[in-house]
Amino acid sequence: MPARAKIVEVGPRDGLQNEKDVIAVEVKVELVDRLAAAGLTAIETGSFVSPKWVPQMADAADVYARITRQPGVSYSFLVPNLKGLEAALAAGVEEIAVFGAASETFSRRNINASIAESLVRFEPVAQAARDAGVRVRGYVSTVIGCPYEGAIAPTAVARVARALRDMGCYEVSLGDTIGVGTPAATLAMLDAVARDVPVAELAAHFHDTYGQALANVYASLEFGVTVFDSSVAGLGGCPYAKGATGNVATEDVVYLLHGQGIATGVDLDALIDAGAFISAALGRPTGSRVARAMLAKRAA
Ligand code: HMG
Ligand code: MG
């Protein structure tokens, strides 16, 4: 087990993108600021995507302008094309992520492009971003299963991950978009991808739809992955993956890692407060088991 692992908090983006009601900018800003105060150093803060496709993310520039940027914290944004990059650069962002998929149908539904077309589209985005001194992360979605195509071949994931690395992504995040993976499927996928991309450049991104996410985090840790995407309070779901629920909760991942003696730099109590804040703002109970347990303990 590693001495240290990194958490990429995706709640403000993956967590909120699917919310039907407009969430006030002030709420998003307070969430991001609380997450940074809790010690998270990588926070995916929003997306520069088409507001027709994902209306909730339309205020990304406004959110970025209003947060209190902390030194040592990277605030990143999804960017699907040059138009999104232009907006991101105009807003002054320092890190972006391009997002592809291992399933043709999901790629078409999510970004209206085939896998090959999407890679051609990302190439100049990554190049222009890097020319502007902006760090570029890559995502591969549907790395285990697709809502339209079912099981996905690990070699298909490896191909896209390799292409993203080749265009200069410093890290490739492997997304189990619909949360169907088990540790065995996760390990088979990681084994294939690690032949093309060094494990030190991989991140794991689990949704918890089938309740397997923490088991998959553990399996990935044993494999050598040390970067995990997660969402405070387990918020989330992808608008183009029906039935997919939130990411694995950051509170639960932090509790697991700390329990294994793995440092994260995150203050779990402050993180639980951030989760309670956004859960109250959304008017629903937290999706984190650890937060529920610790809030009950506090109340007793
Ligand atoms: P399209 O319709 O093919 O694009 O969508 P287009 O170029 O024809 O443009 C259509 C309209 O959108 C035009 O406006 C453009 O100007 C505008 P109109 O002329 O009709 O008024 N437009 C934009 N506006 C703002 N920012 C932009 C932008 N681009 C075009 N960047 C497109 C293609 C990629 C734009 C669209 O499909 C899209 O925005 N998709 C984003 C979908 C998305 O955000 N999905 C969720 C994130 S992925 C995810 O959650 C998975 C992940 O968590 C990992 C995992 O779990 O697996 C990352
Ligand atoms: Mg996701």
Side-chain angles (χ1 to χ4, degrees):
M1 287 284 160
R4 203 178 166 82
K6 179 177 169 184
I7 293 189
V8 177
E9 168 61 47
V10 297
R13 193 280 303 171
D14 208 347
L16 299 184
Q17 70 184 5
N18 209 23
E19 289 294 327
K20 294 286 167 290
D21 296 334
V22 178
I23 302 162
V25 175
E26 293 73 19
V27 170
K28 294 177 181 176
V29 168
E30 181 165 349
L31 174 63
V32 173
D33 285 345
R34 281 174 173 266
L35 292 166
L40 288 151
T41 56
I43 303 174
E44 203 170 70
T45 304
S47 314
F48 289 94
V49 297
S50 168
K52 288 184 184 142
W53 286 64
V54 185
Q56 188 64 252
M57 294 288 110
D59 56 4
D62 208 11
V63 172
Y64 190 57
R66 295 209 217 171
I67 57 174
T68 305
R69 283 176 225 163
Q70 300 294 346
V73 177
S74 182
Y75 303 90
S76 70
F77 291 81
L78 294 192
V79 163
N81 53 18
L82 281 168
K83 187 176 171 89
L85 180 68
E86 249 169 60
L89 294 179
V93 316
E94 292 172 352
E95 178 170 341
I96 63 157
V98 293
F99 49 109
S103 147
E104 283 294 351
T105 316
F106 184 80
S107 181
R108 178 63 63 189
R109 300 283 177 106
N110 193 44
I111 53 172
N112 201 22
S114 70
I115 295 170
E117 283 164 356
S118 75
L119 295 173
V120 167
R121 190 184 284 173
F122 296 152
E123 180 88 51
V125 173
Q127 183 65 51
R130 283 162 53 238
D131 289 348
V134 168
R135 305 206 314 154
V136 185
R137 194 174 194 242
Y139 272 106
V140 187
S141 281
T142 56
V143 297
I144 292 169
C146 166
Y148 311 106
E149 294 182 13
I152 295 296
T155 48
V157 183
R159 262 197 305 279
V160 179
R162 173 66 182 267
L164 292 173
R165 179 183 192 241
D166 287 348
M167 66 177 78
C169 294
Y170 75 90
E171 183 171 283
V172 178
S173 175
L174 304 167
D176 181 11
T177 318
I178 55 171
V180 290
T182 55
T186 298
L187 289 172
M189 183 275 295
L190 286 174
D191 194 54
V193 175
R195 289 167 201 268
D196 283 312
V197 180
V199 69
E201 295 176 28
L202 295 175
H205 177 114
F206 296 111
H207 285 258
D208 200 29
T209 318
Y210 285 75
Q212 307 295 301
L214 271 187
N216 293 335
V217 167
Y218 194 83
S220 305
L221 265 174
E222 286 196 315
F223 187 85
V225 174
T226 59
V227 184
F228 296 96
D229 299 357
S230 61
S231 181
V232 68
L235 299 171
C238 175
Y240 298 98
K242 281 223 168 357
T245 61
N247 298 83
V248 64
T250 309
E251 297 92 322
D252 298 6
V253 175
V254 168
Y255 182 87
L256 171 70
L257 293 172
H258 290 183
Q260 297 303 114
I262 300 168
T264 64
V266 176
D267 173 346
L268 184 54
D269 276 307
L271 177 64
I272 283 173
D273 292 337
F277 163 76
I278 191 62
S279 300
L282 296 174
R284 76 169 71 113
T286 178
S288 160
R289 300 284 292 266
V290 166
R292 254 185 279 162
M294 288 184 62
L295 288 167
K297 201 167 153 194
R298 279 188 199 170

